[in-house]
Amino acid sequence: MNAQLQKKINIKAEFLSSINDTDLADLCNITEQAIKAGGGFGWLKQPPIEILKKYWKGSVIVSNRKLIVGRLNKAIAGTLQLVFQPHNNEAQQNNFNIISHFVAPWARGFGLAKAMIDRAEFIGLEHGANCAHLDIRETQKAAIKLFESKGYVRWGINPFYALINGKNLKGYYYYKKLK
């Protein structure tokens, strides 16, 4: 990438506590693109736009969830959600889960996924948790490589993790001790 183009690329990972209309449009748009590219965090076909809008609006109102977005030149180009344990689960307050992590196909390769993971880990620590958990479908090769490069340890495999087009796919389970 030439130096002039690099100067025009600005990435930022941030916690989103509310969603305005522009952000909602970005979130729905990138979700549709990710689904079409095979990485729509579980969706296999594109749901109606109203379902997507409800999903994203709901993601910021659940008390034990935190929505992190990755922005590429101010537009939302990726997301990641943190799920903390409910207050009644005192024994596992040190754990949080990373879910729904994806980057729009057009925004890949700029370090946005890594920036969102770094932000997630920081927020996890800030909330008193020190161990991150996640799971990944075996076909998500880039995500597997990224998380493993960030020090996530695979601890298990589920041979029946997902069923896509009549074929069972494995899922890999990871953890990372943050401190």
Side-chain angles (χ1 to χ4, degrees):
M1 184 180 313
N2 70 41
Q4 187 177 20
L5 181 59
Q6 276 185 320
K7 289 179 184 177
K8 293 182 181 182
I9 301 298
N10 181 21
I11 65 166
K12 181 179 180 183
E14 64 185 22
F15 164 62
L16 208 62
S17 61
S18 62
I19 299 177
N20 64 37
D21 289 342
T22 301
D23 288 345
L24 183 60
D26 284 350
L27 288 164
C28 292
N29 187 343
I30 66 169
T31 303
E32 290 172 341
Q33 292 174 24
I35 293 166
K36 289 176 187 172
F41 58 91
W43 270 309
L44 299 177
K45 58 182 188 245
Q46 186 177 317
I49 191 70
E50 289 308 314
I51 299 293
L52 288 177
K53 287 179 180 180
K54 285 179 187 177
Y55 175 83
W56 288 115
K57 287 178 183 178
S59 70
V60 295
I61 62 172
V62 178
S63 63
N64 67 327
R65 283 187 184 231
K66 304 290 179 207
L67 175 61
I68 296 174
V69 297
R71 293 187 187 271
L72 183 64
N73 294 343
K74 299 185 182 180
I76 294 177
T79 74
L80 177 154
Q81 292 180 52
L82 301 181
V83 180
F84 292 94
Q85 300 301 318
H87 294 294
N88 67 300
N89 188 353
E90 294 174 333
Q92 292 184 319
Q93 290 299 310
N94 64 311
N95 294 302
F96 66 92
N97 292 303
I98 294 175
I99 66 167
S100 305
H101 182 225
F102 73 96
V103 175
W106 55 267
R108 294 177 183 158
F110 295 103
L112 202 53
K114 180 186 175 299
M116 288 188 296
I117 294 166
D118 291 344
R119 186 75 174 141
E121 291 175 358
F122 177 81
I123 290 172
L125 286 168
E126 206 173 48
H127 282 80
N130 62 15
C131 189
H133 298 257
L134 59 97
D135 54 84
I136 306 172
R137 189 182 325 151
E138 70 177 316
T139 56
Q140 303 297 316
K141 304 288 188 202
I144 291 166
K145 184 177 177 182
L146 173 64
F147 280 107
E148 289 179 352
S149 77
K150 299 280 297 158
Y152 284 76
V153 178
R154 184 185 305 176
W155 64 265
I157 299 172
N158 176 351
F160 304 103
Y161 179 81
L163 183 64
I164 300 178
N165 297 324
K167 181 182 177 192
N168 285 306
L169 297 178
K170 293 179 200 165
Y172 302 137
Y173 294 87
Y174 290 86
Y175 74 90
K176 180 179 180 182
K177 185 84 166 105
L178 301 177
K179 66 175 183 172

